[in-house]
Amino acid sequence: LGICLLEPSKILDVSQTLQTENVFYYDENKIIYKKMLEMQEKFIPIDIILVTKELSTTPSPTGNRWSYEVTMKTKDVVTSSHLKFWCMALVEMHIKRMQLDFQTSITKIDDPLEAGIELDKNIKSALNFKNNTDWVNLSTALVSLKNRRTEIANGVTFGVNTGFNYFDEVTGGLQTGLHVICARPGMGKT
C-alpha cells in the first residue's frame, strides 16, 4: 500500500495481482486498498492526501485518524523493485489463512465436501491473476525455440548481423531489447 501511495502508477500492477481487498489481514489495510481501487476506477489520482480525504467519511477500525493510518503505510517503503514479490506473498498468506480457517472449522461444518469445494473456489479466485496472458506452456516454448534454432541454422537472421560470424549463427543477429553477454572468469572477455 505504501508503494502505491508514493508511486501512484503502481496501483495498476498491484490491482492485477490483488483483485480483492480480502488478501490483506488487517481491516484498515482492506479499507485503504478498497478505497484506492475505487479511486482508480473513478480516475481520481492516488496519493497520501487524496486517499486520506476519500477515507475521511469512513470510520477507522483501529480508532486512529486516517491521516495517521495512511501515512504509516509509507514509513518503511524504500523501493518498489520487489512489488510483485510482496503481492505474491500477500496472496500466499491469504491462501494459508483460508486453509487454516477451513481446517479449524471442519468439525463444525455440516457438509465438509461442500466446504472443500468452496475453499477450492476461493483459492482459485485468489490465484486468478489478470496479467498472466504472457505465460507460455513449457512444451510450446521448447517447440518455438527448436523452430527458431532450425531457422537460424538455415541462415535466417532475425536481427542485425554483428559481424561476428559465430555469434550471428547462434543468435540470428541482435534484436531489440536487453542483451547480456557473459562468460566464465578467465575466458578473455576483455
Side-chain angles (χ1 to χ4, degrees):
L1 293 176
I3 291 170
C4 294
L5 290 165
L6 295 174
E7 295 182 45
S9 64
K10 297 297 182 182
I11 190 70
L12 296 172
D13 297 332
V14 172
S15 64
Q16 289 179 343
T17 306
L18 309 179
Q19 297 184 19
T20 175
E21 69 273 6
N22 292 329
V23 297
F24 292 98
Y25 182 73
Y26 295 109
D27 289 336
E28 65 269 15
N29 291 345
K30 291 178 183 179
I31 294 169
I32 292 170
Y33 184 64
K34 184 176 182 181
K35 185 58 73 176
M36 290 168 71
L37 290 178
E38 290 172 6
M39 290 172 69
Q40 177 193 12
E41 288 177 9
K42 296 176 185 174
F43 301 104
I44 299 172
I46 294 174
D47 65 17
I48 295 172
I49 294 170
L50 292 175
V51 170
T52 302
K53 182 181 175 197
E54 290 287 319
L55 289 166
S56 63
T57 58
T58 308
S60 171
T62 61
N64 294 324
R65 291 178 170 236
W66 280 116
S67 55
Y68 173 79
E69 293 289 350
V70 172
T71 305
M72 290 307 290
K73 303 303 174 211
T74 62
K75 85 176 174 80
D76 294 326
V77 175
V78 177
T79 178
S80 64
S81 61
H82 301 294
L83 179 64
K84 204 67 162 172
F85 168 79
W86 289 115
C87 288
M88 292 303 301
L90 279 172
V91 170
E92 288 176 19
M93 289 187 286
H94 176 59
I95 290 171
K96 287 179 183 177
R97 286 193 304 271
M98 285 192 297
Q99 291 171 331
L100 280 173
D101 289 345
F102 177 74
Q103 290 171 351
T104 55
S105 64
I106 193 74
T107 56
K108 302 172 192 167
I109 297 174
D110 293 334
D111 186 4
L113 180 61
E114 188 66 34
I117 292 170
E118 182 69 21
L119 174 66
D120 186 54
K121 184 181 89 175
N122 291 339
I123 289 174
K124 286 179 181 173
S125 172
L127 292 173
N128 184 18
F129 306 132
K130 292 181 184 174
N131 63 341
N132 63 356
T133 56
D134 60 342
W135 294 1
V136 178
N137 185 322
L138 182 59
S139 61
T140 305
L142 288 174
V143 168
S144 174
L145 178 63
K146 182 177 181 264
N147 292 341
R148 181 179 170 93
R149 298 290 301 146
T150 304
E151 290 176 357
I152 290 171
N154 292 334
V156 176
T157 57
F158 293 95
V160 178
N161 286 332
T162 63
F164 297 101
N165 294 333
Y166 181 71
F167 182 81
D168 291 336
E169 288 173 16
V170 172
T171 63
L174 286 180
Q175 299 168 41
T176 59
L178 174 68
H179 299 279
V180 178
I181 302 173
C182 56
R184 296 180 53 85
M187 298 302 293
K189 293 182 296 297
T190 56

